[in-house]
Amino acid sequence: MSSNHEPPEEKPESTSSSDSDLTSVSQLDSVSEQSTEIEATLPDSKQLNTETKTGTISKLLNDEKSDCSEISDKVKEKLMPVPESSYRDSSSTSLGNIQFTTKRPRKVEPSIISSPEILNTSMNVETARYSQLESNNTTTQTTKPTATYATSISKLSSAQNSTPNIKNKPLARLFSEYNDAHEGEQSRFVENYKTMIQLHYKMFDLDYIESKATFMGTLIPSTMLTKHFTNLYEQKVTKIKLIPSPLFIDYEEDYDINFENIDKRFNPMLEIGKIIEYTYLIFLPERFKSNFERNIITPLNLSYDNLNKEDFIRIVSLHNETLRKIPRKEILSQLKNIKSIPQSFIHDFLQCVYSRIVTPRANDLKHYEAFSNNVYGELLPKFLSDVFMQCNLNSNSIFIDLGSGVGNCVVQAALEYGCKLSFGCEIMKNASTLTELQQVELENRCKLFGIRLQAIDFSLRTSFVNNEKVSTLLKKCDVVLVNNFLFDSDLNKQVENTLKDLKIGCKVISLKNLRPSGYTIDFFNIESILNRLKIEQFKLNEDCVSWTHKGGEYYISTVLEDFDETLFDPSRRHRKTRRPSKYSR
Ligand SMILES: C[S@@+](CC[C@H](N)C(=O)[O-])C[C@H]1O[C@@H](n2cnc3c(N)ncnc32)[C@H](O)[C@@H]1O
């Protein structure tokens, strides 16, 4: 897998702009202090210190030059900057005397090719890019957006770390998928930020927010993770503070910033970027948005893409300053009227919890007997969002996960769909412990963001087979999940028995057909629930599960009042009934 180190972006244009653009950070601070009432105009990022920026840029340019010396003339030619007209958009922001354009030049990024980290760890990307260069004509060669490429690699690398199922997917392929999906968009930390979901329940607990002025919970700070993962922890780390929630500005989370040694499993800068973007997308009152975007979101993305630690840190503190000045009551009325949120918020929020609890202890989940029923694997958040929707999960539903692992599916059903009750049963000790830890962290993080977490319950360190609590709940349940992909036939038989009292209309999501192939009704199974299931098979897309990036199929079975008619369809019945009888004399 590639390192998250990212090569510098193309040389930003120097501006001919006047010195009036130059204002020091201290000036910015004093301006902030003086302002008694916050206006819709937020502090401008052009006031950021420019000296470091200039130094960094010249360093980047030098690096770029020397690194490019190995590149063939033919390739160099194709790396030439392209005309202004091919820039993606026209908005720009100024940081001191350097004009930082958010326009994305459509050219290939030389430093990507020369980045040692990328070269060492993802040769497939480089090969793919070179072959692309060779095969395309000049016009199309120059259409690869520089910054998007840089951003994509870095952000995809992080995605690879946090999403186990795409670990083995060639980075070049991920990149091209990412680029296709994001064509024409600005660089953003939040992926697919335009994909919104309607809120399925009153997600924000306004009474709670109004009643609490300070955050009382205890959270696991991100620094615990950086410490855990980074071998060279003591070196080159800068400690910074982020106000993650605009609702509780008294709470600051510690982060270790290090652009030089980004660990594959946890990238604090990426998490910060996402949190800040969600503040913008969800919590920020409308009148602050355009300035926040111009002065914080865009420069933060640029500083990340340019590996510019100094600017990144300054923009985070500018963000903190800004949040301190936004009237809380305006955020509250923003939340009062909110109807939809980006779907990725749910996934990233859960990832925040997962990365603090499960990621550092992932090895604990490997303590199972090979090929046993306890082989561990996870359904991934996007797939869950979709399949829950398909099953019409909602705030009146009871959801049960039989074999709930570390509790991911249960907490997502609660957080995203606000189910009346989300319940899980898990037999493995380690997975059960991680479930409990995830639940505590989730509850606290929800408080920090004013999220009303609906009822969650588990039956842990015990089997769902002959489990009274499970049996009682199953009778009222609306959606059952059983990730039975690796369950043996005995356990699948036990699942059948466990599900026997499901109510009519209940839906069962499974990865293997609950009715084994060749199943027919006979005298012995006439009472089985399997006869009353309408079973639909669906295509499981790629990247839906943690154990492989390949697709497959999944099933949704709906409990019917009566027998499933298809069981009487001779063409679907056992082979022997379809064979024409042969008579001989
Ligand atoms: C493939 S994992 C699925 C985890 C989670 N439901 C998901 O889809 O992300 C299957 C889980 O079922 C658990 N399991 C297997 N047999 C079980 C049983 N009889 N009772 C409860 N849990 C069981 C395993 O320990 C494992 O954690």
Side-chain angles (χ1 to χ4, degrees):
M1 196 188 324
S2 160
S3 150
N4 285 330
H5 280 259
E6 205 182 287
E9 199 181 289
E10 83 290 358
K11 174 180 145 188
E13 298 158 37
S14 288
T15 125
S16 55
S17 76
S18 65
D19 288 342
S20 62
D21 277 350
L22 273 165
T23 313
S24 71
V25 176
S26 55
Q27 276 172 288
L28 171 63
D29 288 341
S30 65
V31 169
S32 323
E33 275 162 27
Q34 282 160 19
S35 64
T36 47
E37 194 192 324
I38 182 131
E39 298 291 339
T41 336
L42 297 172
D44 199 313
S45 61
K46 71 185 173 186
Q47 295 159 314
L48 293 169
N49 188 333
T50 59
E51 214 177 284
T52 332
K53 172 67 76 182
T54 320
T56 312
I57 287 162
S58 58
K59 183 173 167 286
L60 295 180
L61 291 176
N62 288 336
D63 289 351
E64 186 175 297
K65 206 173 149 197
S66 59
D67 282 338
C68 284
S69 57
E70 299 297 317
I71 302 169
S72 74
D73 287 347
K74 195 173 175 193
V75 175
K76 274 186 196 164
E77 194 181 297
K78 289 167 183 168
L79 298 175
M80 290 298 283
V82 289
E84 187 80 357
S85 58
S86 60
Y87 281 53
R88 283 175 149 199
D89 67 71
S90 57
S91 63
S92 69
T93 185
S94 147
L95 290 157
N97 63 343
I98 303 295
Q99 180 77 16
F100 265 86
T101 177
T102 58
K103 299 164 186 172
R104 305 289 168 164
R106 292 172 172 270
K107 72 177 178 71
V108 175
E109 172 56 66
S111 48
I112 279 280
I113 294 171
S114 59
S115 162
E117 288 81 7
I118 300 282
L119 282 179
N120 290 341
T121 55
S122 56
M123 289 303 288
N124 50 354
V125 177
E126 193 205 355
T127 316
R129 296 195 79 219
Y130 271 105
S131 55
Q132 206 173 18
L133 286 173
E134 298 303 337
S135 61
N136 291 348
N137 66 35
T138 318
T139 329
T140 32
Q141 282 147 17
T142 57
T143 58
K144 192 55 81 181
T146 307
T148 306
Y149 191 89
T151 314
S152 304
I153 291 293
S154 166
K155 292 177 185 174
L156 282 171
S157 300
S158 309
Q160 275 191 316
N161 302 326
S162 58
T163 319
N165 72 313
I166 57 172
K167 248 181 198 159
N168 303 321
K169 209 168 179 179
L171 204 52
R173 182 151 149 234
L174 283 174
F175 163 63
S176 97
E177 285 172 9
Y178 180 95
N179 239 15
D180 288 349
H182 294 265
E183 189 59 36
E185 288 178 17
Q186 280 190 26
S187 177
R188 284 285 184 266
F189 291 99
V190 173
E191 281 171 48
N192 304 322
Y193 63 95
K194 288 183 183 159
T195 307
M196 304 293 279
I197 51 162
Q198 295 301 309
L199 283 183
H200 299 277
Y201 66 112
K202 288 194 173 161
M203 180 180 249
F204 295 100
D205 189 345
L206 301 172
D207 293 341
Y208 170 79
I209 302 169
E210 265 167 354
S211 69
K212 300 266 184 277
T214 53
F215 175 66
M216 304 301 286
T218 312
L219 294 173
I220 296 175
S222 73
T223 44
M224 185 280 282
L225 278 170
T226 15
K227 209 168 204 161
H228 185 89
F229 288 136
T230 315
N231 299 333
L232 303 168
Y233 178 72
E234 298 305 332
Q235 298 172 24
K236 293 170 186 162
V237 163
T238 307
K239 293 199 170 299
I240 66 163
K241 289 188 183 295
L242 170 79
I243 298 179
S245 167
L247 295 170
F248 295 103
I249 51 169
D250 61 309
Y251 179 79
E252 293 176 327
E253 182 157 347
D254 291 329
Y255 281 89
D256 290 329
I257 299 302
N258 183 355
F259 276 96
E260 288 172 41
N261 186 26
I262 302 174
D263 188 273
K264 290 174 182 169
R265 289 150 293 185
F266 180 66
N267 178 346
M269 287 75 75
L270 199 64
E271 187 175 288
I272 290 174
K274 285 185 177 191
I275 289 174
I276 292 180
E277 283 180 5
Y278 286 125
T279 292
Y280 165 79
L281 291 164
I282 297 173
F283 296 89
L284 208 65
E286 206 53 46
R287 72 183 180 108
F288 299 106
K289 284 205 167 177
S290 66
N291 282 314
F292 196 93
E293 180 174 24
R294 190 170 57 249
N295 301 322
I296 293 172
I297 302 288
T298 304
L300 191 70
N301 274 280
L302 281 169
S303 65
Y304 182 83
D305 291 347
N306 289 329
L307 301 174
N308 189 327
K309 183 165 111 179
E310 289 76 20
D311 275 351
F312 189 88
I313 292 170
R314 274 187 212 108
I315 297 160
V316 171
S317 75
L318 178 64
H319 156 269
N320 291 346
E321 276 305 303
T322 304
L323 288 196
R324 287 195 183 97
K325 292 172 185 167
I326 294 179
R328 199 164 186 260
K329 64 174 189 311
E330 286 196 42
I331 301 175
L332 253 127
S333 53
Q334 156 75 12
L335 293 180
K336 229 172 242 170
N337 299 321
I338 197 160
K339 299 274 183 305
S340 58
I341 55 166
Q343 187 176 56
S344 53
F345 174 71
I346 303 285
H347 304 162
D348 285 327
F349 193 86
L350 292 171
Q351 179 60 29
C352 225
V353 174
Y354 184 95
S355 65
R356 279 157 179 75
I357 305 292
V358 185
T359 313
R361 301 171 181 93
N363 280 340
D364 294 359
L365 296 170
K366 292 179 187 158
H367 300 162
Y368 52 74
E369 201 185 315
F371 308 110
S372 74
N373 288 314
N374 300 344
V375 173
Y376 191 74
E378 291 170 358
L379 300 177
L380 296 178
K382 177 70 177 98
F383 169 68
L384 287 172
S385 291
D386 294 345
V387 77
F388 286 165
M389 170 78 84
Q390 224 180 338
C391 292
N392 190 28
L393 204 66
N394 61 64
S395 56
N396 290 318
S397 306
I398 293 182
F399 168 77
I400 297 185
D401 184 3
L402 298 178
S404 50
V406 297
N408 292 345
C409 313
V410 174
V411 295
Q412 185 165 343
L415 184 69
E416 184 167 0
Y417 286 84
C419 293
K420 196 161 65 183
L421 173 66
S422 303
F423 180 87
C425 178
E426 172 55 46
I427 198 166
M428 269 206 305
K429 262 196 214 151
N430 289 345
S432 297
T433 305
L434 293 177
T435 300
E436 288 163 338
L437 294 173
Q438 279 219 100
Q439 196 181 348
V440 173
E441 182 70 12
L442 178 74
E443 280 168 4
N444 280 319
R445 282 207 178 254
C446 280
K447 280 185 190 146
L448 181 64
F449 288 90
I451 293 171
R452 184 200 316 269
L453 189 60
Q454 303 296 71
I456 290 178
D457 193 12
F458 291 97
S459 182
L460 297 172
R461 300 172 190 87
T462 180
S463 173
F464 53 72
V465 178
N466 299 324
N467 182 321
E468 217 176 296
K469 189 171 179 183
V470 170
S471 306
T472 311
L473 279 173
L474 278 171
K475 289 180 191 154
K476 303 179 207 158
C477 184
D478 300 282
V479 178
V480 183
L481 168 67
V482 50
N483 183 345
N484 59 345
F485 190 68
L486 291 165
F487 286 4
D488 62 22
S489 55
D490 280 353
L491 187 56
N492 274 318
K493 191 76 197 154
Q494 302 273 24
V495 169
E496 175 192 335
N497 194 42
T498 306
L499 300 179
K500 68 180 185 325
D501 291 327
L502 290 184
K503 68 179 186 187
I504 295 162
C506 175
K507 291 185 185 291
V508 185
I509 304 160
S510 63
L511 287 217
K512 261 199 217 159
N513 195 333
L514 293 175
R515 261 191 322 237
S517 82
Y519 180 89
T520 47
I521 302 186
D522 59 30
F523 176 77
F524 300 102
N525 66 20
I526 192 95
E527 294 293 330
S528 168
I529 182 119
L530 299 190
N531 300 329
R532 291 192 292 115
L533 293 180
K534 180 184 137 206
I535 300 180
E536 293 167 284
Q537 182 183 323
F538 297 94
K539 180 174 174 269
L540 184 77
N541 291 330
E542 291 184 354
D543 305 326
C544 285
V545 298
S546 67
W547 57 91
T548 173
H549 75 78
K550 286 189 193 148
E553 59 263 353
Y554 67 97
Y555 300 84
I556 297 180
S557 311
T558 310
V559 179
L560 304 169
E561 194 172 357
D562 218 330
F563 289 118
D564 174 25
E565 294 289 322
T566 63
L567 286 168
F568 303 107
D569 175 357
S571 66
R572 305 187 72 176
R573 284 163 68 193
H574 200 266
R575 209 170 55 148
K576 69 183 177 196
T577 63
R578 277 190 270 133
R579 232 176 225 190
S581 314
K582 281 186 187 163
Y583 300 102
S584 58
R585 303 210 167 193

